[in-house]
Amino acid sequence: MTVSAGVVAVQGDVSEHADAIRRAARAHGEDAEVVEIRTSGVVPDCDILLLPGGESTAISRLLAREGIDEEIRDHVAAGKPVLATCAGLIVASADANDDRVDTLDLIDATVDRNAFGRQVDSFEAPLDVDGLDDPFPAVFIRAPLIAEVGDGVEVLASWDGDPVAVRDGPVVGTSFHPELTDDSRIHDLAFFPEEQQEAEEAVF
Ligand code: GLN
């Protein structure tokens, strides 16, 4: 089967994410066709979506201007997976504590832009993540802090007492950049969740 994967491509590590998606798909015996999203009309044909890092103000402006925001909300309403990383997480949150970002309200969480960045610009840390056997090498770059999460949000990983990876239904958000190492386990976790694997195993 070929999975159609859309990566919002305003800025950010589009090719690194595309590689990680292809690797994660291959691990499940599937191919991924990766398309870049800059205009409306692409998201409706995507099985999975990725909102990368970058600058959340710029990303949110493009999504609203092009009408991609509504398409992404429809994608999530249909229960299809999204991985939102760093600035993508800020855009996907319910509230970013910043009027310049029109949040999509896909993840019931309040985030604080650049919270880690105020202390230290970037760092790498081995992170224990629910569902992964070994720590994930997480790279934080001017990362947002997840200040509050709603009842329905599952915290997948925390750093220094704060959540840094969360799941809200079909949407996974990370404060860090999972595309910056060769490790595609976060993409795997977001796009090939266990329920789906079990369902596939039951069919075949
Ligand atoms: N601090 C950036 C923002 O507010 C996010 C940084 C990143 O994506 N690495 O959008």
Side-chain angles (χ1 to χ4, degrees):
M1 197 184 121
T2 301
V3 179
S4 176
V7 181
V8 171
V10 192
Q11 48 179 209
D13 306 318
V14 176
S15 64
E16 287 86 346
H17 276 299
D19 288 346
I21 292 169
R22 287 192 200 98
R23 280 199 305 273
R26 224 173 295 135
H28 293 276
E30 301 192 17
D31 287 324
E33 192 202 345
V34 182
V35 288
E36 299 190 358
I37 299 165
R38 290 194 186 83
T39 55
S40 61
V42 183
V43 172
D45 292 328
C46 292
D47 303 311
I48 59 180
L49 281 185
L50 202 140
L51 280 167
E55 208 57 48
S56 47
T57 45
I59 296 170
S60 116
R61 210 176 310 129
L62 172 105
L63 296 182
R65 193 184 67 213
E66 299 293 327
I68 303 169
D69 51 356
E70 281 309 314
E71 295 181 337
I72 296 177
R73 285 198 190 95
D74 290 347
H75 175 98
V76 172
K80 297 191 209 166
V82 174
L83 173 58
T85 66
C86 203
L89 163 68
I90 299 171
V91 173
S93 72
D95 187 353
N97 281 331
D98 188 330
D99 290 346
R100 288 167 301 168
V101 184
D102 265 334
T103 54
L104 295 176
D105 199 6
L106 308 177
I107 300 175
D108 185 12
T110 302
V111 302
D112 192 357
R113 285 187 68 202
N114 299 328
F116 284 115
R118 278 200 291 271
Q119 299 146 26
V120 48
D121 199 51
S122 74
F123 62 99
E124 185 174 335
L127 201 63
D128 287 325
V129 180
D130 267 13
L132 302 187
D133 292 337
D134 302 305
F136 186 86
V139 180
F140 294 82
I141 304 169
R142 296 184 298 117
L145 181 85
I146 302 176
E148 257 174 73
V149 295
D151 288 342
V153 176
E154 186 188 349
V155 175
L156 300 175
S158 297
W159 182 254
D160 227 2
D162 293 309
V164 289
V166 293
R167 185 195 289 280
D168 190 351
V171 187
V172 170
T174 66
S175 305
F176 54 91
H177 285 258
E179 77 284 10
L180 293 181
T181 65
D182 287 341
D183 194 328
S184 42
R185 286 179 297 159
I186 296 290
H187 293 75
D188 194 337
L189 203 73
F191 294 138
F192 301 95
E194 258 171 62
E195 307 88 73
Q196 193 181 322
Q197 287 165 35
E198 279 163 16
E200 279 167 11
E201 276 159 21
V203 173
F204 298 110

